[in-house]
Amino acid sequence: MRMITVENLHKSFMIHHLSRTLPALQDVSLHVPEGSFLGIVGKSGSGKSTILKSIYRTYEPQKGKILFQSEAYGTIDLVQATAREVVYLRKHEIGYVSQFLNVMPRTTALELVEQSLLDLGVSRAEATPKAQQALKHFDIDEALWNSYPNMFSGGEKLRLNIACAIVKEPRLLLLDEPTASLDQASKLKVREAIEKLKANGTTLIGIFHDLEFMEGLCDNVFHMEKMQGKELV
């Protein structure tokens, strides 16, 4: 079964001060079977992140379909989904990891990971030890668990971001350069967590400049320069 199907996706951006439109995606089609991992590669500015942000509905495409097999809604076109449906899917079914951490102020690292689980309906008694286990896995010092992440280093913020997304074990996980600022030991932790999610049935789409990291991890690779206007089969 296909977990996600992208059909003829178009996305452009209006540059108002130049009065011009900049195309980002033109006629992109791809699909990802349930439980598999699709890697997206291409040069900077080729539209890799735009695909992920369109699926997550950070961006609204001008044309095309993004069909997602939702547990709650059945087959749903994410391009046409309502704001309420998008919020539900982000909370319960679709995870997103970027290079950047955007958090609520006065929320500790432990509270952030706990909240990811509380959103799913997990009790606090169960959420706390799971959150602690996730923080340990990504080598976030226990002394930082009750600290505010705005004081963390870039690598610590990224590892926390990954912990918040992965602890939920989403049905679909979008990864936008999740290892960009990590050392080799931290990259191995991320790979281990991804492999575990994949083994448990999570479908993944990821962007990596580190092609060595992708080796043996992805089931298929979408090349932006080669595949725009063609369908991934």
Side-chain angles (χ1 to χ4, degrees), residues 91-118:
K91 187 176 287 188
H92 295 276
E93 299 193 39
I94 303 176
Y96 185 95
V97 177
S98 75
Q99 303 174 46
F100 310 103
L101 179 67
N102 295 315
V103 299
M104 294 294 291
R106 300 184 182 278
T107 305
T108 69
L110 179 59
E111 288 170 342
L112 280 171
V113 185
E114 284 177 332
Q115 190 59 51
S116 293
L117 292 163
L118 294 173

Side-chain angles (χ1 to χ4, degrees), residues 175-191:
L175 302 161
D176 191 350
E177 291 288 351
T179 61
S181 60
L182 298 182
D183 58 30
Q184 190 59 32
S186 296
K187 287 182 180 181
L188 291 175
K189 293 281 188 178
V190 173
R191 185 184 178 100

Side-chain angles (χ1 to χ4, degrees), residues 215-230:
E215 187 70 30
L217 196 60
C218 297
D219 300 292
N220 210 339
V221 177
F222 185 89
H223 297 267
M224 293 298 299
E225 287 80 5
K226 298 178 182 179
M227 297 302 298
Q228 292 214 51
K230 301 179 182 179

Side-chain angles (χ1 to χ4, degrees), residues 45-87:
S46 62
K48 301 184 301 296
S49 294
T50 302
I51 293 178
L52 296 193
K53 290 177 180 178
S54 295
I55 294 172
Y56 200 60
R57 265 286 293 275
T58 305
Y59 294 157
E60 294 189 20
Q62 284 85 17
K63 180 182 175 183
K65 295 181 179 180
I66 303 173
L67 304 177
F68 173 62
Q69 297 302 319
S70 166
E71 193 169 61
Y73 302 116
T75 303
I76 182 171
D77 183 357
L78 298 176
V79 175
Q80 301 296 330
T82 66
R84 184 184 295 273
E85 288 168 336
V86 170
V87 168

